[in-house]
Structures are given as C-alpha cells and as structure tokens.
Amino acid sequence: MTRPKLGFADLSKIQPDTTNEPSVSNEIVDRVAEKAGFTSREPIVPLTKRSAVREPSTNLNIRPPVGVYNRFVAFSIDHRMSYPEALAYLMDLAGLDETGSIKK
C-alpha cells in the first residue's frame, strides 16, 4: 500500500516572508479594538495600599494590657499606619537603634 504524496518531500523551496508589515502604534490598535467591542486580555493588576516590605518579616506575639493595646491600635488608625509601621515609628521616637539600644 502506497501513501499519498502530500508535497512535503522538498522543503528547501520554502522561504520566509520578507515583506515588512506596516507599523501601527499600539494606541491606534487599542482605539480600533475598543470601537469594535473587544476587551483587553491583559490581566487586571490589583492596587496595593502600601509599598512592598523591603526586608523579611517575622511574627511578634505579645499580650499587652487592654489599655496599652487600645492605645496602640488607636495610634495606628489615627496615623494611618500598619502595626509594623507604627511600631517602627514609636521605636524611632524612643531613640532606639537597630540593636534596641538607646542612640547616643
């Protein structure tokens, strides 16, 4: 039984297309696509409220008295800070360096 010839025996005759396509800006393409009712396939990136943390983090579990906890949470809310930001701010106000010693 012979197989049918599909014309792929001599592929050396195949050459890439050398004609240049007209360049069209992305803005024009987006406008035409929007008018035609196409929607973007680009993923929607969620906005973040805070900047990315610049160093690794760890857990800090403490059980302060309710009054101290309430003051700390109220401070964080009033100053629109996360708990880590508020803790770092208060430690800076206390004059502590990276080792926990009072700056001289």
Side-chain angles (χ1 to χ4, degrees):
M1 181 169 173
T2 61
R3 294 185 167 196
K5 300 199 184 269
L6 301 175
F8 294 111
D10 187 14
L11 299 178
S12 65
K13 295 178 184 176
I14 298 175
Q15 297 295 322
D17 187 8
T18 58
T19 59
N20 292 332
E21 295 182 13
S23 63
V24 180
S25 69
N26 287 340
E27 292 82 20
I28 294 173
V29 172
D30 289 341
R31 265 189 283 154
V32 171
E34 187 176 338
K35 285 181 184 178
F38 289 97
T39 57
S40 175
R41 290 186 183 177
E42 296 174 1
I44 298 173
V45 179
L47 298 177
T48 56
K49 296 190 308 185
R50 300 183 183 115
S51 60
V53 177
R54 295 193 175 118
E55 61 182 306
S57 63
T58 187
N59 291 329
L60 174 65
N61 298 309
I62 59 173
R63 295 184 53 85
V66 173
V68 173
Y69 172 81
N70 288 343
R71 287 173 43 209
F72 180 73
V73 171
F75 174 83
S76 300
I77 292 170
D78 290 346
H79 291 83
R80 300 179 59 108
M81 294 180 178
S82 66
Y83 293 164
E85 291 169 332
L87 180 60
Y89 179 78
L90 293 173
M91 290 174 64
D92 290 343
L93 279 179
L96 301 178
D97 64 11
E98 293 79 23
T99 64
S101 301
I102 296 176
K103 295 178 187 176
K104 295 180 182 181

